[in-house]
Amino acid sequence: MAILCLNSGSSSLKFALFRISDSSEQRLVSGAVENIGAQARLWLRAGDKVLLDEQQSLPGAHECIAAIFAAFDNLKLARPQAAGHRIVHGGPRYTQPERINSQLLGELERLVPLAPLHLPSQVAVIHAIARHYPDLPQVACFDTAFHAGMPELARRLPLPRSLWDAGVRHYGFHGLSYEFIVHALGPAGRGRVIIAHLGNGASIAAVREGKPVDTSMGLTPAGGFMMSTRSGDLDPGILVYLLRAGYGAEQLEKMINRESGLLGVSASSSDMKTLLEKRSHDPLADQAVRMFCYGIRKSIGAYAAVLNGVDMLVFTGGIGERAAPVREEICRGLAFLGIQLSPEQNAQNAAIISTPDSHCTVRVIPTDEDLMIARHTIRKMKFL
């Protein structure tokens, strides 16, 4: 069965087409529409082979979906038999993949305030597929679902109990990525594992025996430690102070999600690769990188306490998989947890970057959220 996996952002739409059978999982193509709303770029690749790379006028989700399906037809690719979507927030109700219907769409629209950067575009893509291809089944795969099994002690916030009943709680995100890593580790991941998903959005999760125990993001994807443009956790008094100083809700949202993190501290870039290149001669870039690594190192220490030790540390996500200096700086000073990196293996982005005598194994595992979406979609549709 051919499964289309979709991951929509505020100005981009990433996608992948899989062929799934009971004996194999094959990625046929990957692609993206970038810079939606301006002079958009649509590209498709099969492995390292570029099948399409062109600019088009694609102002919104409807045009993007039409262009993607037209490209599939022109390239004589398999027509999808179902579409699976990464949906950032499922709220308190949705804790497993769900077939999309009008009721679910209504619930997602009500959840938009919890993920204003992600949900509007994701809902728009669902509507676009329903409009152009009404007979194509669609499945929502929730990034919060993996963390729904956390103990209530970790999920509950120190707020009035009425807010818990209203759905204000610690949800966690990047769940599809964490789920993939747990599956990839198999029996090797059955002990005390800390997984660091480090990309433009970044979080870590504590996992024991393959089950979620705690995670850094909270009610929204803005929580946790600093990220590319997001502040991470703040003293709530700061927000009260800024409100009294005249900031409105939209201004605060923009600052917290789009103007803070690496970009806010460096005052120049949200891109980790750029900051690493600049840090030797730009003290603000250097400070941004050091703050990022410091925050993650603190979180690892905290989750080691939650787990009563750590047997394995896994790095994944774009930064986690490719930025050896960031991994080295995060792990520097964690010898008390039994973490010893091999400089040579780390520089090569090897699968295992810890030394043979390290009590804690440190791994680098490329994540594959698209494959998790494909697996969930095909199981939900009961195709296999």
Side-chain angles (χ1 to χ4, degrees), residues 275-356:
L275 295 176
L276 289 171
E277 292 169 350
K278 295 174 60 174
R279 71 183 305 192
S280 63
H281 59 272
D282 182 342
L284 299 186
D286 178 63
Q287 186 177 57
V289 173
R290 287 191 293 113
M291 284 179 64
F292 180 81
C293 296
Y294 175 71
I296 298 166
R297 191 184 312 120
K298 282 201 303 181
S299 297
I300 291 171
Y303 286 172
V306 167
L307 294 171
N308 193 27
V310 55
D311 302 308
M312 184 181 297
L313 172 62
V314 179
F315 287 100
T316 192
I319 296 172
E321 295 166 23
R322 296 189 286 272
V326 171
R327 294 192 301 260
E328 189 278 329
E329 192 161 334
I330 289 169
C331 292
R332 192 185 304 154
L334 293 180
F336 73 99
L337 293 177
I339 293 174
Q340 298 287 345
L341 287 196
S342 163
E344 296 78 17
Q345 294 295 95
N346 185 45
Q348 296 170 17
N349 299 324
I352 296 178
I353 60 174
S354 50
T355 62

Side-chain angles (χ1 to χ4, degrees), residues 232-277:
D233 290 343
L234 295 171
D235 172 356
I238 294 173
L239 302 183
V240 175
Y241 169 81
L242 293 175
L243 284 169
R244 287 175 173 162
Y247 278 66
E250 290 186 5
Q251 191 177 4
L252 283 176
E253 188 275 328
K254 182 180 179 183
M255 181 194 72
I256 290 166
N257 282 305
R258 303 175 188 271
E259 299 175 341
S260 298
L262 294 173
L263 176 62
V265 174
S266 71
S268 62
S269 177
S270 63
D271 180 64
M272 178 59 77
K273 182 179 179 181
T274 300
L275 295 176
L276 289 171
E277 292 169 350

Side-chain angles (χ1 to χ4, degrees), residues 10 25 34 116 119 146 163 175 183 186 267 278 311 313 318 335 356 379:
S10 57
E25 299 171 328
E34 299 171 345
L119 276 179
F146 175 77
L163 289 176
H183 279 260
K278 295 174 60 174
D311 302 308
L313 172 62
R379 288 168 188 159

Side-chain angles (χ1 to χ4, degrees), residues 178-187 190 372 375-376 379:
Y178 292 129
E179 189 177 5
F180 177 83
I181 298 299
V182 168
H183 279 260
L185 287 171
R190 292 303 177 194
M372 284 310 307
R375 289 172 177 171
H376 284 312
R379 288 168 188 159

